[in-house]
Amino acid sequence: PLLNQRILKAVKQGAQVLSLQSYSDENRYPIVKEVLVQQGDFAPHLLGVVKLLLENHKLDFDLPKDMLDKINQAKVQPDHQAFAEKLSKSTSKVILMGHDILAHPEAALLQYIIRLIAHLVNAQVAEITENANGAGAWAVGMVPYEPLGDNRGLSAIEMLSSPLKAMFLMNLEPEFDCADPKRSIETLKEVDEVICLTPFVTQTMRSYATLLLPMAPMSETEGTYLNVLGQSQTVRAATPVHYQSKPAWKILRVLGNLLHLEGYQYNTAQEVLKEAQTMERKGLEPKAFFQQSLQTETHAKGELMRLAPFAMYASNNVLRRAHALQETVEAKLNEKAILHPGTAEKFGFMPGALVQVEEDTQEERFEVAFDDKIPEGCVLIHRGIQKTMQMNGPFKAVHLKAVDKG
């Protein structure tokens, strides 16, 4: 809401908004050009924009051959022309990347293309992460590699793709928080030692955890957030910690002391913040973003591509347990399969009909709802809720069939 308000104020002062996404939100400001595409079509659209921009802009570095091939093979569409013209003519520009890009199987490729566009038109880029302090985590080096460096660890998807000897999970409920909960849980069950630092315990967590350490939730912890402007915002704990739980930083400090590690001598959260503020924040050039990308699935006839944004009031473990919020109209919509009316007509579905969603060996039933802001050929089924915790991640093909409510 706060970011939306900033955009609204900018529009009132003459800014123009272009939008590329897989489903349309209810905006309180006019959008000059909005393009809705299936998530598998993000790269072709952005490559078309790059192809047009390169006709009038020169790069100060060489692109990899495989990127050049992708650009040369791009088919330019009228929508691409509108984006390229607006970006070229505007004097002040910012490109916002949301979770549709950051959680995409081709995220590395898409981020590269977006930053390449920004480089060509002299625009700024901002990442709107799903979690409240993604920027803060990046600033203090909580990434598996050094920018442009040789030291590289494993990304989250790599760690959850094949079992490791041990894993340490902090404030994470994979069945709700991970993009692919089914695969994440299957992998965790094969790990020898899984230590969970968590404020809540679920039955699913007990199925893979070997040790549970009680930590205070965010509402009982003081700390600092880094917003999209790079500004630090420090908050106090709203309530005292419950029973014998402790803030996560205190637990990590004690573990570091027990293991005789250096740098674990903090006594207050302010001391942690003071050290964090001295750390250098390293930026990345566009060429650092080019990596081998993953391919999205081509769904077969009769199947739909699943869009899977976080459900309303389900983006963290505190909201998921707020019973009053879960009873709202918005939360109830989380448990529906949402289709474009044109897609529903092709399948013969009516609003309120009961359908069975099938993927691999998993089946789940949903009530149908219509929304013309969903791209045709897609079905929006939220993640982060109990009903979808056994499903695969987004960008997967699913099959829908009508079932009798009786």
Side-chain angles (χ1 to χ4, degrees), residues 108-387:
L109 172 64
L110 295 177
Q111 289 189 61
Y112 180 91
I113 300 171
I114 289 171
R115 291 182 182 274
L116 180 58
I117 291 173
H119 188 79
L120 288 168
V121 300
N122 195 28
Q124 293 182 307
V125 178
E127 296 181 9
I128 312 303
T129 60
E130 285 184 333
N131 298 311
N133 214 12
W138 177 275
V140 296
M142 291 184 65
V143 290
Y145 57 88
E146 295 178 2
L148 301 180
D150 297 326
N151 296 329
R152 188 183 187 282
L154 298 176
S155 65
I157 193 171
E158 289 170 325
M159 286 188 281
L160 292 170
S161 295
S162 58
L164 301 174
K165 184 175 180 60
M167 294 189 71
F168 190 101
L169 309 183
M170 189 177 82
N171 202 32
L172 181 71
E173 296 176 331
E175 62 267 38
F176 301 121
D177 294 321
C178 290
D180 195 337
K182 182 181 178 182
R183 182 173 64 172
S184 300
I185 298 303
E186 290 174 349
T187 301
L188 286 169
K189 288 181 177 179
E190 297 181 25
V191 176
D192 293 341
E193 297 289 339
V194 179
I195 302 171
C196 294
L197 187 58
T198 177
F200 304 101
V201 181
T202 66
Q203 285 302 114
T204 302
M205 191 180 296
R206 292 184 185 278
S207 71
Y208 59 77
T210 52
L211 178 63
L212 298 171
L213 298 176
M215 64 168 276
M218 60 180 183
S219 55
E220 300 172 10
T221 305
E222 63 177 316
T224 299
Y225 296 88
L226 197 66
N227 65 19
V228 293
L229 299 178
Q231 300 169 336
S232 297
Q233 298 173 309
T234 299
V235 298
R236 294 181 180 275
T239 60
V241 295
H242 179 68
Y243 196 46
Q244 293 184 342
S245 62
K246 301 290 183 183
W249 73 268
K250 288 188 176 182
I251 299 173
L252 295 175
R253 182 200 62 189
V254 171
L255 291 176
N257 294 155
L258 293 173
L259 294 171
H260 304 291
L261 300 177
E262 295 183 3
Y264 285 81
Q265 308 305 319
Y266 311 108
N267 293 309
T268 66
Q270 286 73 27
E271 292 179 9
V272 180
L273 173 61
K274 185 177 180 180
E275 181 172 331
Q277 291 174 328
T278 64
M279 299 180 72
E280 180 184 0
R281 298 173 187 172
K282 299 179 180 179
L284 296 178
E285 293 298 322
K287 55 189 175 184
F289 277 85
F290 191 79
Q291 299 178 16
Q292 181 65 39
S293 64
L294 302 175
Q295 298 298 316
T296 53
E297 293 186 4
T298 300
H299 48 274
K301 184 178 179 181
E303 293 182 315
L304 301 169
M305 177 176 282
R306 179 191 172 196
L307 309 180
F310 254 121
M312 179 72 80
Y313 308 130
S315 58
N316 64 60
N317 49 26
V318 174
L319 286 178
R320 287 193 285 266
R321 290 165 174 83
H323 300 297
L325 293 178
Q326 303 308 322
E327 293 300 318
T328 60
V329 173
E330 292 84 356
K332 294 299 183 184
L333 189 62
N334 293 342
E335 299 185 357
K336 297 181 184 291
I338 307 175
L339 299 162
H340 186 282
T343 302
E345 183 178 358
K346 292 177 183 178
F347 284 82
F349 299 146
M350 299 296 292
L354 189 65
V355 297
Q356 183 164 286
V357 179
E358 301 174 349
E359 54 171 20
D360 298 336
T361 60
Q362 188 64 31
E363 299 177 353
E364 190 60 70
R365 294 187 176 188
F366 295 85
E367 189 175 293
V368 170
F370 287 1
D371 190 336
D372 59 8
K373 297 186 289 294
I374 304 293
E376 294 200 41
C378 297
V379 55
L380 191 152
I381 301 174
H382 289 95
R383 62 186 173 100
I385 60 176
Q386 194 77 24
K387 202 167 187 178

Side-chain angles (χ1 to χ4, degrees), residues 16 18 20 32-33 35 44-57 74-90 117 121:
Q16 295 183 320
L18 307 174
L20 170 67
V32 175
K33 184 67 178 179
V35 178
H45 183 91
L46 294 170
L47 287 167
V49 175
V50 171
K51 189 172 185 177
L52 288 170
L53 290 174
L54 284 174
E55 293 177 0
N56 300 305
H57 299 77
K75 297 180 180 179
V76 176
Q77 305 293 335
D79 289 336
H80 307 162
Q81 188 72 45
F83 272 69
E85 287 181 359
K86 288 292 184 182
L87 288 170
S88 295
K89 294 179 180 178
S90 300
I117 291 173
V121 300

